[in-house]
Amino acid sequence: MRICFVCLGNICRSPAAEAILRQLAQQEYAEGQLGDLVIDSAGTADYHVGKPPHGQSLAEAARRGIPVDHRGRQFGPADFAAYDLVIALDASNEADLRAIAPDDEAAAKVVRLGAFAPGADREGTRDVEDPWSHPDEAYVVMYDHLVELSRALLDHVAAGTVGEVLARSAAATR
């Protein structure tokens, strides 16, 4: 499965989600249990193309022992062909991605990360809050939330239920 996490600038949430998912997949699942995972991230805006992740995000990753190797890039319509799953970090990013999707098939790949949380079908989809310009504690909260939701995503990948979450998300956006 080819997964791309998408936030606004691709320097806080999405590169953190990419690094967290990669580490959790390696640590918590046996080799091959999840199939071939390709994990990437991008932003809907071009503000930080070519730049490393935000210093506060990198500091929190280092504190947790999570390696991050990323440079910001912008997600565009042509990128849909490269991924099976395009995961938005909040409702605004989800709307932006659906707006640039070249067709219905591409738009059907878009889902918010919060849609994978237990109970999301009953309680609604939570956003991963943008920590940009907030104190260090906002990055701690972001990482905690991303770890929780990434585990839930990996559980769906392992169980083969990602398609069900995508269908539920698509129905909710109609």
Side-chain angles (χ1 to χ4, degrees):
M1 177 169 286
R2 298 163 302 157
I3 299 170
C4 187
F5 291 101
V6 182
C7 67
L8 180 62
N10 193 218
I11 62 166
C12 295
R13 294 173 292 171
S14 57
E18 174 188 349
I20 289 166
L21 191 71
R22 185 172 288 114
Q23 184 179 60
L24 289 174
Q26 291 170 350
Q27 291 177 345
E28 298 183 7
Y29 287 87
E31 177 108 14
Q33 186 178 0
L34 300 172
D36 291 329
L37 274 185
V38 174
I39 307 165
D40 196 5
S41 67
T44 57
D46 65 357
Y47 308 137
H48 306 290
V49 171
K51 296 180 182 172
H54 191 277
Q56 287 169 286
S57 188
L58 287 174
E60 184 59 22
R63 189 182 74 75
R64 293 171 184 247
I66 300 171
V68 179
D69 181 21
H70 184 78
R71 292 286 174 186
R73 71 177 194 86
Q74 186 176 17
F75 191 93
D79 286 315
F80 282 97
Y83 301 102
D84 304 305
L85 195 56
V86 179
I87 301 179
L89 279 295
D90 65 30
S92 178
N93 302 139
E94 181 181 25
D96 289 345
L97 287 164
R98 289 186 189 283
I100 67 165
D103 54 38
D104 290 343
E105 183 180 334
K109 296 177 180 184
V110 177
V111 63
R112 258 185 289 162
L113 182 57
F116 292 95
D121 55 337
R122 295 180 310 279
E123 301 162 14
T125 301
R126 298 179 314 177
D127 287 343
V128 176
E129 297 299 323
D130 191 348
W132 174 260
S133 78
H134 293 285
D136 291 347
E137 180 60 28
Y139 290 83
V140 173
V141 170
M142 176 194 73
Y143 267 81
D144 288 345
H145 198 187
L146 287 172
V147 167
E148 171 195 349
L149 295 176
S150 293
R151 277 197 173 104
L153 168 60
L154 287 174
D155 289 346
H156 281 282
V157 171
T161 56
V162 169
E164 294 169 22
V165 176
L166 279 170
R168 192 171 56 240
S169 175
T173 59
R174 287 186 197 128

